[in-house]
Amino acid sequence: ASIMPGVPHIFDFFASKQFKIGLATSSPPSLIDLVVQMTGIESYLSATASAEYLPYGKPHPQVYLNCAESMNSHPIECICFEDSFNGLIAAKAARMKCVVIPHHSLNKDARWGAADLKLSSLQNFGELHFDRLNS
């Protein structure tokens, strides 16, 4: 399994700002544990949430709401990073900010317009983007 380029950068960026970091996914808990181990991101994570046993996964917002709740964070204070359209809908339905990094083949899809920010790579995320999301 390969991890999206820029993930370490994003984790470092938000960890340095004392943000809590959660992982909300449709993958089963066993797969989450495996990926967390393989990528070495465990020390960054305050919470993980799986939609596997929820009545509805993404685009339903429940997995995001559960993740925020486990971190004692208010949804409107959260910034999500998504690469899928269903994930974007889930984040926005949870009233969270959402940055999308679409696969380049889907980059021109107008539906990404619902995001707060669209980037070609996580690596490109920086202070200016952060300030824009928080203004």
Side-chain angles (χ1 to χ4, degrees):
S2 71
I3 192 159
M4 191 188 273
V7 167
H9 162 70
I10 287 293
F11 278 47
D12 284 334
F13 183 94
F14 283 96
S16 72
K17 294 193 177 302
Q18 313 291 307
F19 267 60
K20 290 174 278 189
I21 299 174
L23 182 63
T25 176
S26 304
S27 303
S30 56
L31 187 60
I32 297 174
D33 294 342
L34 184 66
V35 169
V36 166
Q37 272 176 354
M38 284 174 61
T39 53
I41 58 175
E42 193 164 6
S43 60
Y44 288 100
L45 293 176
S46 295
T48 60
S50 167
E52 190 184 28
Y53 300 114
L54 296 177
Y56 302 102
K58 299 174 185 179
H60 194 284
Q62 194 63 53
V63 69
Y64 268 133
L65 296 170
N66 290 357
C67 194
E69 193 179 0
S70 345
M71 297 191 293
N72 296 312
S73 299
H74 199 284
I76 60 173
E77 298 170 333
C78 298
I79 301 173
C80 303
F81 289 80
E82 268 294 345
D83 63 351
S84 77
F85 190 65
N86 277 349
L88 163 61
I89 298 301
K92 294 316 295 177
R95 295 174 305 151
M96 298 177 173
K97 297 259 168 55
C98 188
V99 179
V100 290
I101 309 89
H103 187 269
H104 59 84
S105 63
L106 303 171
N107 202 29
K108 298 277 187 276
D109 194 320
R111 296 180 301 177
W112 300 116
D116 296 279
L117 178 64
K118 183 176 88 166
L119 297 175
S120 57
S121 165
L122 279 174
Q123 205 70 52
N124 298 345
F125 188 86
E127 289 294 337
L128 287 171
H129 298 117
F130 179 77
D131 292 343
R132 211 163 83 203
L133 289 171
N134 277 325
S135 58

Short mmCIF file of all heavy atoms in Angstrom, two decimals, residues 11 20-24 44-49 64 67-68 71 79:
data_model
loop_
_atom_site.label_atom_id
_atom_site.label_comp_id
_atom_site.label_asym_id
_atom_site.label_seq_id
_atom_site.Cartn_x
_atom_site.Cartn_y
_atom_site.Cartn_z
N PHE A 11 0.93 16.16 8.28
CA PHE A 11 0.94 15.77 9.69
C PHE A 11 1.87 16.66 10.49
O PHE A 11 1.52 17.13 11.57
CB PHE A 11 1.33 14.29 9.82
CG PHE A 11 0.16 13.36 9.59
CD1 PHE A 11 -0.69 13.53 8.51
CD2 PHE A 11 -0.09 12.31 10.45
CE1 PHE A 11 -1.77 12.67 8.29
CE2 PHE A 11 -1.17 11.44 10.24
CZ PHE A 11 -2.00 11.64 9.16
N LYS A 20 -5.05 18.60 16.99
CA LYS A 20 -5.27 17.17 17.14
C LYS A 20 -5.53 16.61 15.74
O LYS A 20 -6.15 17.27 14.92
CB LYS A 20 -6.48 16.91 18.04
CG LYS A 20 -6.21 17.25 19.49
CD LYS A 20 -7.45 17.12 20.35
CE LYS A 20 -8.31 18.36 20.23
NZ LYS A 20 -9.42 18.38 21.20
N ILE A 21 -5.05 15.40 15.49
CA ILE A 21 -5.19 14.80 14.16
C ILE A 21 -5.97 13.49 14.28
O ILE A 21 -5.65 12.64 15.11
CB ILE A 21 -3.82 14.55 13.51
CG1 ILE A 21 -3.08 15.89 13.33
CG2 ILE A 21 -3.97 13.83 12.17
CD1 ILE A 21 -1.65 15.76 12.82
N GLY A 22 -7.02 13.37 13.48
CA GLY A 22 -7.83 12.17 13.47
C GLY A 22 -7.90 11.58 12.07
O GLY A 22 -7.68 12.27 11.08
N LEU A 23 -8.21 10.30 12.02
CA LEU A 23 -8.35 9.60 10.75
C LEU A 23 -9.77 9.02 10.69
O LEU A 23 -10.14 8.21 11.52
CB LEU A 23 -7.30 8.48 10.68
CG LEU A 23 -7.22 7.64 9.42
CD1 LEU A 23 -6.84 8.50 8.21
CD2 LEU A 23 -6.18 6.54 9.60
N ALA A 24 -10.55 9.50 9.72
CA ALA A 24 -11.93 9.03 9.55
C ALA A 24 -12.03 8.35 8.19
O ALA A 24 -11.81 8.99 7.17
CB ALA A 24 -12.90 10.21 9.63
N TYR A 44 1.14 10.62 15.74
CA TYR A 44 0.42 11.84 15.36
C TYR A 44 -1.07 11.78 15.70
O TYR A 44 -1.72 12.81 15.84
CB TYR A 44 0.51 12.07 13.85
CG TYR A 44 1.85 12.51 13.33
CD1 TYR A 44 2.72 11.60 12.74
CD2 TYR A 44 2.23 13.85 13.40
CE1 TYR A 44 3.95 12.01 12.23
CE2 TYR A 44 3.45 14.27 12.89
CZ TYR A 44 4.31 13.35 12.31
OH TYR A 44 5.51 13.76 11.81
N LEU A 45 -1.62 10.57 15.76
CA LEU A 45 -3.07 10.43 15.78
C LEU A 45 -3.67 10.52 17.18
O LEU A 45 -3.26 9.83 18.09
CB LEU A 45 -3.49 9.09 15.15
CG LEU A 45 -3.23 8.93 13.65
CD1 LEU A 45 -3.60 7.53 13.20
CD2 LEU A 45 -4.00 9.97 12.85
N SER A 46 -4.68 11.39 17.31
CA SER A 46 -5.45 11.46 18.55
C SER A 46 -6.65 10.52 18.49
O SER A 46 -7.17 10.12 19.51
CB SER A 46 -5.96 12.88 18.78
OG SER A 46 -4.89 13.76 18.99
N ALA A 47 -7.11 10.20 17.27
CA ALA A 47 -8.30 9.36 17.13
C ALA A 47 -8.36 8.75 15.74
O ALA A 47 -7.86 9.32 14.78
CB ALA A 47 -9.56 10.17 17.39
N THR A 48 -8.99 7.57 15.66
CA THR A 48 -9.35 7.01 14.36
C THR A 48 -10.82 6.62 14.44
O THR A 48 -11.33 6.30 15.52
CB THR A 48 -8.53 5.75 14.00
OG1 THR A 48 -8.75 4.75 15.00
CG2 THR A 48 -7.05 6.06 13.90
N ALA A 49 -11.50 6.71 13.30
CA ALA A 49 -12.91 6.33 13.24
C ALA A 49 -13.15 5.55 11.95
O ALA A 49 -12.68 5.94 10.89
CB ALA A 49 -13.79 7.57 13.29
N TYR A 64 -17.14 11.20 10.30
CA TYR A 64 -16.42 12.44 10.62
C TYR A 64 -16.87 13.00 11.97
O TYR A 64 -16.06 13.46 12.76
CB TYR A 64 -16.62 13.49 9.53
CG TYR A 64 -15.57 13.45 8.46
CD1 TYR A 64 -15.89 13.47 7.11
CD2 TYR A 64 -14.21 13.41 8.80
CE1 TYR A 64 -14.91 13.45 6.12
CE2 TYR A 64 -13.23 13.39 7.82
CZ TYR A 64 -13.58 13.41 6.49
OH TYR A 64 -12.60 13.40 5.53
N CYS A 67 -15.37 10.93 14.72
CA CYS A 67 -13.94 11.19 14.87
C CYS A 67 -13.72 12.49 15.66
O CYS A 67 -12.91 12.53 16.58
CB CYS A 67 -13.29 11.29 13.49
SG CYS A 67 -11.48 11.21 13.55
N ALA A 68 -14.48 13.52 15.30
CA ALA A 68 -14.37 14.80 16.02
C ALA A 68 -14.74 14.63 17.49
O ALA A 68 -14.06 15.15 18.38
CB ALA A 68 -15.27 15.85 15.37
N MET A 71 -12.16 13.23 19.71
CA MET A 71 -11.08 14.17 20.02
C MET A 71 -11.58 15.35 20.85
O MET A 71 -10.83 16.29 21.08
CB MET A 71 -10.45 14.67 18.71
CG MET A 71 -9.79 13.59 17.89
SD MET A 71 -8.80 14.25 16.53
CE MET A 71 -10.06 14.97 15.47
N ILE A 79 -10.57 20.68 9.97
CA ILE A 79 -10.18 20.79 8.56
C ILE A 79 -9.92 19.38 8.05
O ILE A 79 -9.07 18.67 8.59
CB ILE A 79 -8.91 21.65 8.38
CG1 ILE A 79 -9.10 23.06 8.95
CG2 ILE A 79 -8.51 21.70 6.90
CD1 ILE A 79 -7.83 23.90 8.97
#
